[in-house]
Amino acid sequence: MRPVIVVRLSLLRDLEHLREEVMKASHFLLTYIKEQLLIPGRVETWMFILDLQGTKSFNLARKDLKNTVEELSNLYPCRLDSMFVVNSNRFLGLLWKVSKLFFSTSQLKKIRFERTNYKKVLPQRVPEDQLEMRYGGVCPNLTSKFFPPKFQS
């Protein structure tokens, strides 16, 4: 069992112009997870679910996505087990095919785009009692109180 970090990008819509502040908050949260939830020799990686529902593809600038992935990879090397990008549209799928040229082979192996099939795929990787219903699990969907993070036992 590894920590699963869910990022619902539509909730950050109003913060697009505050990339630096979002990165500081991300750094704080990931450092907290690293220090409190990872166990050396047992649990050393985390999984991301990037939910794009309610976002427009053109809001995801390729440069920003690449910079964010590089920055997090540099700050937290070897921590990403996998990333599932869910609720994307066809345009983003095409953009991803072009963007693959800018990512390393090891990064590409960890990133999966699941437009609609994620409710079947995610429970194969994450226990259902640790996933919200919107992702194929049995936990109630979070609608508020995103911080502090919810930890399932």
Side-chain angles (χ1 to χ4, degrees):
M1 295 200 341
R2 61 181 44 89
V4 179
I5 303 159
V6 178
V7 177
R8 290 178 42 208
L9 211 55
S10 63
L11 299 176
L12 298 175
R13 180 182 356 219
D14 297 334
L15 303 176
E16 289 176 3
H17 61 285
L18 301 173
R19 182 182 181 280
E20 189 173 323
E21 282 77 14
V22 170
M23 286 306 298
K24 285 179 186 178
S26 299
H27 178 61
F28 171 81
L29 180 63
L30 294 176
T31 299
Y32 180 84
I33 290 170
K34 178 182 165 190
E35 292 174 359
Q36 302 298 320
L37 300 177
L38 300 184
I39 303 167
R42 294 192 171 223
V43 180
E44 296 185 330
T45 60
W46 49 51
M47 178 189 295
F48 266 93
I49 298 173
L50 179 60
D51 189 343
L52 301 180
Q53 186 171 23
T55 61
K56 293 184 170 62
S57 299
F58 54 83
N59 289 346
L60 292 175
R62 183 181 70 213
K63 180 180 149 190
D64 284 342
L65 184 60
K66 181 181 184 307
N67 289 343
T68 301
V69 169
E70 281 181 357
E71 191 170 335
L72 293 177
S73 294
N74 290 334
L75 289 171
Y76 305 98
C78 304
R79 294 294 180 196
L80 181 64
D81 172 74
S82 55
M83 174 186 280
F84 288 87
V85 180
V86 301
N87 290 313
S88 65
N89 61 30
R90 290 178 192 203
F91 175 75
L92 192 59
L94 293 172
L95 184 63
W96 173 243
K97 288 180 181 179
V98 173
S99 298
K100 284 182 175 183
L101 302 171
F102 301 100
F103 292 93
S104 70
T105 305
S106 64
Q107 288 171 325
L108 289 174
K109 289 180 184 176
K110 297 176 181 185
I111 301 172
R112 286 184 58 179
F113 275 73
E114 293 291 341
R115 286 185 49 223
T116 57
N117 198 35
Y118 58 88
K119 286 186 179 183
K120 293 178 183 174
V121 173
L122 287 172
Q124 294 173 6
R125 298 286 314 273
V126 181
E128 289 180 333
D129 62 345
Q130 294 187 0
L131 273 177
E132 293 175 65
M133 286 190 266
R134 75 178 93 231
Y135 303 117
V138 296
C139 292
N141 292 331
L142 291 176
T143 56
S144 63
K145 296 190 177 184
F146 297 101
F147 198 87
K150 302 262 189 243
F151 300 112
Q152 301 296 328
S153 56

